[in-house]
Amino acid sequence: MSRLTPLGLSILTLVTFALVLAVLTGRAELIVVTVPLLIVLLRATRAARGGDIAVAHAVSAARVVERERVSVTVTVTGAPALPLVELVDPLGSMTRLVTGRNHALLTLGRDGRAAWTYEIECMRRGPLELGRVHVRLWDRAGLRAQEIAVHDPKLVRVYPRTVNVRRLPRPRRTQTFVGNYVAATVGEGLEPGDIRPFAPGDRIRHINWRASRRWQRLYVTQYQEERNADVVLMLDSLAEFGDPPGTTLDHSIRAAASLAAAYLARKDRVGFIEYGGFFRSVRPGTGRRQYERVLDALHRADVLFTYVTRDIALVPKRVLPPQALVVAITPLLERRFEEAVMDLAARGFDVVILSPSPIALVPRGTSRTTDLACRFWAIDRRTRFDALRRLGLPVVEWDPTEPLDVALDSLARLRRQRVAR
Amino acid sequence: MWRLAVLLVVTLAAYPLAIMPSKAVAIAAGVVLFVCGIGLLLRWMPAVTAGVALAVGEYTLALTLSGSAARLGSAVVVGVLATLVLHAADFDRRFRRVTLGVGVLGSQLTHWAGSVALGGTAAMMLVTGATLVTGAIRLPWAPVLAAAGALAAVVAAGVALRRMLASAA
């Protein structure tokens, strides 16, 4: 729909003023002053040559990681007679304009096409929908404008940023597939184990010639199998603390993505459970495709307040295998998640807890009250850690401002100490 | 585009001083610059419109103080400058921090030049015609005719705008 612009009102106002002043002062010059303005109005009354317009929206990548840049290209196609096309492409709150602008004024060339490109940086993980373009068609005089909205949706998946992790909590139980962990069972492997007397059917290359020469009898070396393990990452999305893109949930998701990448690199089967208002799960699997499935689930994770949470005991075995290592990542803000984790431990699951500290995200030094509150909060968290450790759960607090490896190293040492006892 | 708008505003405010360099006209020019400057800075068309209207008033003051005969040529210049100031200020208001595509600025300046040329030519033709008519015919009730003509011009402008909106809808 077309509308009169402020310029049209300005011209009309000025013409009226000049003519009134001309009559009052008796100066003919003021009538001549209005002539160019009236000519502009008369030109604008000529029927505007319009036409259909098409807007195509293209992005350089459909999947990016946090802080990566995406190039957006908007192409306008229409009749060359269209005078001026103004386009605005609104950006989401978690994007930052890097080069160019998301607001452009174009004129169509002889081929009826024009395009403009700008670059944005994706600050936070999540699904980013682009493609709602607002179009305004102007006449050259600037006296008429017609507005339309074009929707050409383009979804960009922004995945969490990962870090290289070296020290990982080692699963206690292995599975049946080939992996990187030395299993207790003997069979085909690289890690030498016991030796035993040669028996019919043993392979010649397994003969331990040194032992055989010593004891004047054939002995073979037994090798321990290398197996993989099941690891399930359990994310607490019941509550979060902090400002995006640095909330406790954001840090938890980055940790989960890093752990998933590290465990999958070791040929382990990795699964995922989002325990919160949304209950999402990914069955354990291996390979690059599994990593993409886990990232797809992670990038959509969000806090949704609810009074109803799913009973963890009802999660099927194909999602939560009984012998899996469960890595629970939680800021311990919600009691319900703690209860779910304790329930898992009581049922015999191998559980470890990695807790991103919300206290580290509080801006310190702003007031004494805030500092005092943080100290009380730290005491409360220590009490809860002690209660969980008394139940046999290894729990480690992680300062999100520090590398993840520091916390995982503490976790690995805690588990070794428990095994040693 | 704001630089062009500022240049045009300065020219429009200074032009009446060339007709009548006096203190009153200089003060009026200062007021015009201030009001138009506020409008350009804040990208507010009502202020720019008020400034241009004040410039027309300043021009009238200069003509009155000079006491000279009708200077229709200068009126054409003021009319053209006023049109360009409004166009430039409006363009800057709409598109100051906007990416301009290839050829946009050039085509817009060409369009303004065409409008200005057409307006100036029409004004000169009107002036010539009026000069011939007033030389040939004496009109004792000229002020009444002038008022009627002004009213007709305003009504015509309103009708033209209404037609424009009706055809677009």
Side-chain angles (χ1 to χ4, degrees), chain A residues 132-158:
Chain A
R132 287 187 183 273
V133 181
H134 300 281
V135 183
R136 206 178 273 156
L137 303 174
W138 292 95
D139 64 339
R140 290 240 179 255
L143 293 175
R144 271 199 288 200
Q146 185 184 355
E147 294 175 357
I148 53 176
V150 176
H151 189 41
D152 181 21
K154 290 289 183 298
L155 183 65
V156 177
R157 291 192 175 92
V158 184

PDB file of all heavy atoms in Angstrom, chain A residues 132-158:
ATOM      1  N   ARG A 132      13.780 -12.720   6.497  1.00  0.00           N
ATOM      2  CA  ARG A 132      12.576 -11.854   6.493  1.00  0.00           C
ATOM      3  C   ARG A 132      13.012 -10.464   6.066  1.00  0.00           C
ATOM      4  O   ARG A 132      13.567  -9.711   6.872  1.00  0.00           O
ATOM      5  CB  ARG A 132      11.981 -11.788   7.900  1.00  0.00           C
ATOM      6  CG  ARG A 132      11.291 -13.049   8.290  1.00  0.00           C
ATOM      7  CD  ARG A 132      10.558 -12.911   9.616  1.00  0.00           C
ATOM      8  NE  ARG A 132       9.962 -14.169   9.993  1.00  0.00           N
ATOM      9  CZ  ARG A 132       8.761 -14.576   9.606  1.00  0.00           C
ATOM     10  NH1 ARG A 132       8.032 -13.806   8.839  1.00  0.00           N
ATOM     11  NH2 ARG A 132       8.286 -15.745   9.978  1.00  0.00           N
ATOM     12  N   VAL A 133      12.794 -10.158   4.821  1.00  0.00           N
ATOM     13  CA  VAL A 133      13.276  -8.886   4.281  1.00  0.00           C
ATOM     14  C   VAL A 133      12.103  -7.929   4.113  1.00  0.00           C
ATOM     15  O   VAL A 133      11.063  -8.305   3.563  1.00  0.00           O
ATOM     16  CB  VAL A 133      13.974  -9.107   2.915  1.00  0.00           C
ATOM     17  CG1 VAL A 133      14.493  -7.794   2.375  1.00  0.00           C
ATOM     18  CG2 VAL A 133      15.111 -10.105   3.060  1.00  0.00           C
ATOM     19  N   HIS A 134      12.275  -6.717   4.612  1.00  0.00           N
ATOM     20  CA  HIS A 134      11.259  -5.675   4.423  1.00  0.00           C
ATOM     21  C   HIS A 134      11.675  -4.816   3.244  1.00  0.00           C
ATOM     22  O   HIS A 134      12.806  -4.320   3.193  1.00  0.00           O
ATOM     23  CB  HIS A 134      11.131  -4.823   5.687  1.00  0.00           C
ATOM     24  CG  HIS A 134      10.736  -5.629   6.884  1.00  0.00           C
ATOM     25  ND1 HIS A 134       9.441  -6.015   7.115  1.00  0.00           N
ATOM     26  CD2 HIS A 134      11.470  -6.146   7.895  1.00  0.00           C
ATOM     27  CE1 HIS A 134       9.406  -6.736   8.228  1.00  0.00           C
ATOM     28  NE2 HIS A 134      10.611  -6.825   8.723  1.00  0.00           N
ATOM     29  N   VAL A 135      10.751  -4.653   2.297  1.00  0.00           N
ATOM     30  CA  VAL A 135      11.069  -3.941   1.055  1.00  0.00           C
ATOM     31  C   VAL A 135      10.212  -2.698   0.961  1.00  0.00           C
ATOM     32  O   VAL A 135       9.009  -2.727   1.264  1.00  0.00           O
ATOM     33  CB  VAL A 135      10.796  -4.839  -0.172  1.00  0.00           C
ATOM     34  CG1 VAL A 135      11.205  -4.121  -1.441  1.00  0.00           C
ATOM     35  CG2 VAL A 135      11.539  -6.163  -0.051  1.00  0.00           C
ATOM     36  N   ARG A 136      10.854  -1.608   0.540  1.00  0.00           N
ATOM     37  CA  ARG A 136      10.110  -0.372   0.312  1.00  0.00           C
ATOM     38  C   ARG A 136      10.475   0.119  -1.079  1.00  0.00           C
ATOM     39  O   ARG A 136      11.656   0.292  -1.390  1.00  0.00           O
ATOM     40  CB  ARG A 136      10.512   0.662   1.346  1.00  0.00           C
ATOM     41  CG  ARG A 136       9.451   1.700   1.631  1.00  0.00           C
ATOM     42  CD  ARG A 136       9.898   2.647   2.696  1.00  0.00           C
ATOM     43  NE  ARG A 136       9.590   2.165   4.015  1.00  0.00           N
ATOM     44  CZ  ARG A 136      10.244   2.528   5.114  1.00  0.00           C
ATOM     45  NH1 ARG A 136      11.275   3.325   5.031  1.00  0.00           N
ATOM     46  NH2 ARG A 136       9.882   2.089   6.285  1.00  0.00           N
ATOM     47  N   LEU A 137       9.451   0.313  -1.914  1.00  0.00           N
ATOM     48  CA  LEU A 137       9.677   0.809  -3.283  1.00  0.00           C
ATOM     49  C   LEU A 137       9.409   2.302  -3.303  1.00  0.00           C
ATOM     50  O   LEU A 137       8.292   2.742  -2.997  1.00  0.00           O
ATOM     51  CB  LEU A 137       8.736   0.088  -4.264  1.00  0.00           C
ATOM     52  CG  LEU A 137       8.850  -1.443  -4.265  1.00  0.00           C
ATOM     53  CD1 LEU A 137       7.780  -2.053  -5.145  1.00  0.00           C
ATOM     54  CD2 LEU A 137      10.228  -1.866  -4.759  1.00  0.00           C
ATOM     55  N   TRP A 138      10.437   3.060  -3.654  1.00  0.00           N
ATOM     56  CA  TRP A 138      10.312   4.520  -3.697  1.00  0.00           C
ATOM     57  C   TRP A 138      10.246   4.990  -5.134  1.00  0.00           C
ATOM     58  O   TRP A 138      10.878   4.415  -6.025  1.00  0.00           O
ATOM     59  CB  TRP A 138      11.556   5.169  -3.069  1.00  0.00           C
ATOM     60  CG  TRP A 138      11.725   4.974  -1.607  1.00  0.00           C
ATOM     61  CD1 TRP A 138      12.457   4.019  -1.001  1.00  0.00           C
ATOM     62  CD2 TRP A 138      11.155   5.779  -0.569  1.00  0.00           C
ATOM     63  NE1 TRP A 138      12.389   4.158   0.371  1.00  0.00           N
ATOM     64  CE2 TRP A 138      11.595   5.243   0.654  1.00  0.00           C
ATOM     65  CE3 TRP A 138      10.327   6.890  -0.541  1.00  0.00           C
ATOM     66  CZ2 TRP A 138      11.225   5.787   1.891  1.00  0.00           C
ATOM     67  CZ3 TRP A 138       9.972   7.419   0.687  1.00  0.00           C
ATOM     68  CH2 TRP A 138      10.417   6.873   1.878  1.00  0.00           C
ATOM     69  N   ASP A 139       9.509   6.110  -5.361  1.00  0.00           N
ATOM     70  CA  ASP A 139       9.653   6.785  -6.644  1.00  0.00           C
ATOM     71  C   ASP A 139      10.858   7.721  -6.531  1.00  0.00           C
ATOM     72  O   ASP A 139      11.343   8.003  -5.441  1.00  0.00           O
ATOM     73  CB  ASP A 139       8.383   7.555  -7.017  1.00  0.00           C
ATOM     74  CG  ASP A 139       8.104   8.689  -6.035  1.00  0.00           C
ATOM     75  OD1 ASP A 139       8.608   8.641  -4.900  1.00  0.00           O
ATOM     76  OD2 ASP A 139       7.387   9.635  -6.412  1.00  0.00           O
ATOM     77  N   ARG A 140      11.330   8.194  -7.657  1.00  0.00           N
ATOM     78  CA  ARG A 140      12.559   8.988  -7.639  1.00  0.00           C
ATOM     79  C   ARG A 140      12.391  10.292  -6.874  1.00  0.00           C
ATOM     80  O   ARG A 140      13.342  10.801  -6.281  1.00  0.00           O
ATOM     81  CB  ARG A 140      13.002   9.312  -9.063  1.00  0.00           C
ATOM     82  CG  ARG A 140      13.502   8.106  -9.784  1.00  0.00           C
ATOM     83  CD  ARG A 140      14.945   8.287 -10.205  1.00  0.00           C
ATOM     84  NE  ARG A 140      15.397   7.084 -10.889  1.00  0.00           N
ATOM     85  CZ  ARG A 140      16.201   6.205 -10.338  1.00  0.00           C
ATOM     86  NH1 ARG A 140      16.673   6.403  -9.142  1.00  0.00           N
ATOM     87  NH2 ARG A 140      16.551   5.131 -10.980  1.00  0.00           N
ATOM     88  N   ALA A 141      11.178  10.853  -6.903  1.00  0.00           N
ATOM     89  CA  ALA A 141      10.969  12.129  -6.228  1.00  0.00           C
ATOM     90  C   ALA A 141      10.923  11.968  -4.717  1.00  0.00           C
ATOM     91  O   ALA A 141      11.008  12.952  -3.987  1.00  0.00           O
ATOM     92  CB  ALA A 141       9.659  12.754  -6.712  1.00  0.00           C
ATOM     93  N   GLY A 142      10.756  10.729  -4.248  1.00  0.00           N
ATOM     94  CA  GLY A 142      10.662  10.507  -2.808  1.00  0.00           C
ATOM     95  C   GLY A 142       9.308  10.880  -2.234  1.00  0.00           C
ATOM     96  O   GLY A 142       9.176  11.075  -1.026  1.00  0.00           O
ATOM     97  N   LEU A 143       8.277  10.947  -3.110  1.00  0.00           N
ATOM     98  CA  LEU A 143       6.960  11.360  -2.644  1.00  0.00           C
ATOM     99  C   LEU A 143       6.031  10.179  -2.415  1.00  0.00           C
ATOM    100  O   LEU A 143       4.996  10.331  -1.783  1.00  0.00           O
ATOM    101  CB  LEU A 143       6.320  12.311  -3.677  1.00  0.00           C
ATOM    102  CG  LEU A 143       7.028  13.654  -3.816  1.00  0.00           C
ATOM    103  CD1 LEU A 143       6.411  14.469  -4.927  1.00  0.00           C
ATOM    104  CD2 LEU A 143       6.944  14.433  -2.507  1.00  0.00           C
ATOM    105  N   ARG A 144       6.406   9.010  -2.951  1.00  0.00           N
ATOM    106  CA  ARG A 144       5.542   7.848  -2.768  1.00  0.00           C
ATOM    107  C   ARG A 144       6.377   6.664  -2.348  1.00  0.00           C
ATOM    108  O   ARG A 144       7.485   6.452  -2.846  1.00  0.00           O
ATOM    109  CB  ARG A 144       4.824   7.507  -4.076  1.00  0.00           C
ATOM    110  CG  ARG A 144       3.523   8.235  -4.234  1.00  0.00           C
ATOM    111  CD  ARG A 144       2.666   7.581  -5.239  1.00  0.00           C
ATOM    112  NE  ARG A 144       3.196   7.791  -6.580  1.00  0.00           N
ATOM    113  CZ  ARG A 144       2.473   7.660  -7.673  1.00  0.00           C
ATOM    114  NH1 ARG A 144       1.220   7.343  -7.582  1.00  0.00           N
ATOM    115  NH2 ARG A 144       2.996   7.822  -8.854  1.00  0.00           N
ATOM    116  N   ALA A 145       5.803   5.869  -1.440  1.00  0.00           N
ATOM    117  CA  ALA A 145       6.510   4.668  -0.990  1.00  0.00           C
ATOM    118  C   ALA A 145       5.503   3.540  -0.863  1.00  0.00           C
ATOM    119  O   ALA A 145       4.385   3.742  -0.411  1.00  0.00           O
ATOM    120  CB  ALA A 145       7.173   4.916   0.355  1.00  0.00           C
ATOM    121  N   GLN A 146       5.939   2.371  -1.289  1.00  0.00           N
ATOM    122  CA  GLN A 146       5.103   1.181  -1.184  1.00  0.00           C
ATOM    123  C   GLN A 146       5.883   0.124  -0.418  1.00  0.00           C
ATOM    124  O   GLN A 146       7.054  -0.132  -0.726  1.00  0.00           O
ATOM    125  CB  GLN A 146       4.768   0.669  -2.582  1.00  0.00           C
ATOM    126  CG  GLN A 146       3.810  -0.493  -2.590  1.00  0.00           C
ATOM    127  CD  GLN A 146       3.589  -1.035  -3.988  1.00  0.00           C
ATOM    128  OE1 GLN A 146       4.090  -0.471  -4.964  1.00  0.00           O
ATOM    129  NE2 GLN A 146       2.873  -2.115  -4.093  1.00  0.00           N
ATOM    130  N   GLU A 147       5.256  -0.478   0.583  1.00  0.00           N
ATOM    131  CA  GLU A 147       5.979  -1.420   1.438  1.00  0.00           C
ATOM    132  C   GLU A 147       5.443  -2.830   1.279  1.00  0.00           C
ATOM    133  O   GLU A 147       4.234  -3.044   1.244  1.00  0.00           O
ATOM    134  CB  GLU A 147       5.842  -0.989   2.903  1.00  0.00           C
ATOM    135  CG  GLU A 147       6.534   0.326   3.185  1.00  0.00           C
ATOM    136  CD  GLU A 147       6.311   0.832   4.591  1.00  0.00           C
ATOM    137  OE1 GLU A 147       5.570   0.190   5.349  1.00  0.00           O
ATOM    138  OE2 GLU A 147       6.870   1.882   4.926  1.00  0.00           O
ATOM    139  N   ILE A 148       6.361  -3.767   1.208  1.00  0.00           N
ATOM    140  CA  ILE A 148       5.989  -5.179   1.189  1.00  0.00           C
ATOM    141  C   ILE A 148       6.997  -5.941   2.048  1.00  0.00           C
ATOM    142  O   ILE A 148       8.095  -5.458   2.292  1.00  0.00           O
ATOM    143  CB  ILE A 148       5.964  -5.774  -0.241  1.00  0.00           C
ATOM    144  CG1 ILE A 148       7.295  -5.507  -0.957  1.00  0.00           C
ATOM    145  CG2 ILE A 148       4.813  -5.241  -1.046  1.00  0.00           C
ATOM    146  CD1 ILE A 148       7.372  -6.160  -2.332  1.00  0.00           C
ATOM    147  N   ALA A 149       6.593  -7.112   2.491  1.00  0.00           N
ATOM    148  CA  ALA A 149       7.500  -7.968   3.263  1.00  0.00           C
ATOM    149  C   ALA A 149       7.703  -9.256   2.494  1.00  0.00           C
ATOM    150  O   ALA A 149       6.755  -9.838   1.984  1.00  0.00           O
ATOM    151  CB  ALA A 149       6.920  -8.250   4.635  1.00  0.00           C
ATOM    152  N   VAL A 150       8.943  -9.668   2.398  1.00  0.00           N
ATOM    153  CA  VAL A 150       9.273 -10.897   1.673  1.00  0.00           C
ATOM    154  C   VAL A 150       9.888 -11.886   2.658  1.00  0.00           C
ATOM    155  O   VAL A 150      10.747 -11.517   3.467  1.00  0.00           O
ATOM    156  CB  VAL A 150      10.290 -10.591   0.544  1.00  0.00           C
ATOM    157  CG1 VAL A 150      10.718 -11.868  -0.141  1.00  0.00           C
ATOM    158  CG2 VAL A 150       9.679  -9.640  -0.455  1.00  0.00           C
ATOM    159  N   HIS A 151       9.441 -13.111   2.576  1.00  0.00           N
ATOM    160  CA  HIS A 151       9.966 -14.128   3.495  1.00  0.00           C
ATOM    161  C   HIS A 151      10.611 -15.248   2.686  1.00  0.00           C
ATOM    162  O   HIS A 151       9.934 -16.009   2.018  1.00  0.00           O
ATOM    163  CB  HIS A 151       8.820 -14.668   4.353  1.00  0.00           C
ATOM    164  CG  HIS A 151       9.285 -15.551   5.454  1.00  0.00           C
ATOM    165  ND1 HIS A 151      10.405 -15.283   6.209  1.00  0.00           N
ATOM    166  CD2 HIS A 151       8.798 -16.706   5.942  1.00  0.00           C
ATOM    167  CE1 HIS A 151      10.576 -16.230   7.095  1.00  0.00           C
ATOM    168  NE2 HIS A 151       9.617 -17.123   6.966  1.00  0.00           N
ATOM    169  N   ASP A 152      11.905 -15.305   2.712  1.00  0.00           N
ATOM    170  CA  ASP A 152      12.655 -16.375   2.042  1.00  0.00           C
ATOM    171  C   ASP A 152      13.539 -17.013   3.115  1.00  0.00           C
ATOM    172  O   ASP A 152      14.723 -16.681   3.251  1.00  0.00           O
ATOM    173  CB  ASP A 152      13.507 -15.785   0.907  1.00  0.00           C
ATOM    174  CG  ASP A 152      14.299 -16.849   0.160  1.00  0.00           C
ATOM    175  OD1 ASP A 152      13.900 -18.030   0.229  1.00  0.00           O
ATOM    176  OD2 ASP A 152      15.316 -16.504  -0.478  1.00  0.00           O
ATOM    177  N   PRO A 153      12.963 -17.899   3.935  1.00  0.00           N
ATOM    178  CA  PRO A 153      13.683 -18.342   5.143  1.00  0.00           C
ATOM    179  C   PRO A 153      14.945 -19.119   4.837  1.00  0.00           C
ATOM    180  O   PRO A 153      14.979 -19.959   3.962  1.00  0.00           O
ATOM    181  CB  PRO A 153      12.655 -19.222   5.865  1.00  0.00           C
ATOM    182  CG  PRO A 153      11.695 -19.637   4.809  1.00  0.00           C
ATOM    183  CD  PRO A 153      11.677 -18.576   3.772  1.00  0.00           C
ATOM    184  N   LYS A 154      15.968 -18.786   5.581  1.00  0.00           N
ATOM    185  CA  LYS A 154      17.230 -19.521   5.505  1.00  0.00           C
ATOM    186  C   LYS A 154      17.666 -19.794   6.939  1.00  0.00           C
ATOM    187  O   LYS A 154      17.812 -18.872   7.731  1.00  0.00           O
ATOM    188  CB  LYS A 154      18.309 -18.703   4.790  1.00  0.00           C
ATOM    189  CG  LYS A 154      18.069 -18.530   3.313  1.00  0.00           C
ATOM    190  CD  LYS A 154      18.284 -19.837   2.577  1.00  0.00           C
ATOM    191  CE  LYS A 154      18.115 -19.693   1.078  1.00  0.00           C
ATOM    192  NZ  LYS A 154      16.801 -19.289   0.647  1.00  0.00           N
ATOM    193  N   LEU A 155      17.865 -21.064   7.248  1.00  0.00           N
ATOM    194  CA  LEU A 155      18.241 -21.431   8.611  1.00  0.00           C
ATOM    195  C   LEU A 155      19.739 -21.657   8.674  1.00  0.00           C
ATOM    196  O   LEU A 155      20.307 -22.410   7.889  1.00  0.00           O
ATOM    197  CB  LEU A 155      17.498 -22.707   9.016  1.00  0.00           C
ATOM    198  CG  LEU A 155      17.722 -23.174  10.446  1.00  0.00           C
ATOM    199  CD1 LEU A 155      17.154 -22.159  11.413  1.00  0.00           C
ATOM    200  CD2 LEU A 155      17.072 -24.529  10.672  1.00  0.00           C
ATOM    201  N   VAL A 156      20.363 -20.997   9.625  1.00  0.00           N
ATOM    202  CA  VAL A 156      21.790 -21.215   9.862  1.00  0.00           C
ATOM    203  C   VAL A 156      21.920 -21.856  11.232  1.00  0.00           C
ATOM    204  O   VAL A 156      21.447 -21.292  12.224  1.00  0.00           O
ATOM    205  CB  VAL A 156      22.563 -19.877   9.820  1.00  0.00           C
ATOM    206  CG1 VAL A 156      24.031 -20.108  10.147  1.00  0.00           C
ATOM    207  CG2 VAL A 156      22.425 -19.225   8.459  1.00  0.00           C
ATOM    208  N   ARG A 157      22.544 -23.017  11.275  1.00  0.00           N
ATOM    209  CA  ARG A 157      22.725 -23.698  12.568  1.00  0.00           C
ATOM    210  C   ARG A 157      24.068 -23.244  13.136  1.00  0.00           C
ATOM    211  O   ARG A 157      25.116 -23.494  12.534  1.00  0.00           O
ATOM    212  CB  ARG A 157      22.727 -25.205  12.379  1.00  0.00           C
ATOM    213  CG  ARG A 157      21.376 -25.773  11.989  1.00  0.00           C
ATOM    214  CD  ARG A 157      21.392 -27.282  12.104  1.00  0.00           C
ATOM    215  NE  ARG A 157      20.093 -27.838  11.841  1.00  0.00           N
ATOM    216  CZ  ARG A 157      19.668 -28.248  10.660  1.00  0.00           C
ATOM    217  NH1 ARG A 157      20.471 -28.169   9.629  1.00  0.00           N
ATOM    218  NH2 ARG A 157      18.457 -28.742  10.512  1.00  0.00           N
ATOM    219  N   VAL A 158      24.013 -22.614  14.288  1.00  0.00           N
ATOM    220  CA  VAL A 158      25.254 -22.167  14.927  1.00  0.00           C
ATOM    221  C   VAL A 158      25.571 -23.170  16.023  1.00  0.00           C
ATOM    222  O   VAL A 158      24.822 -23.297  17.002  1.00  0.00           O
ATOM    223  CB  VAL A 158      25.086 -20.748  15.518  1.00  0.00           C
ATOM    224  CG1 VAL A 158      26.412 -20.261  16.082  1.00  0.00           C
ATOM    225  CG2 VAL A 158      24.583 -19.790  14.447  1.00  0.00           C
TER     226      VAL A 158
END
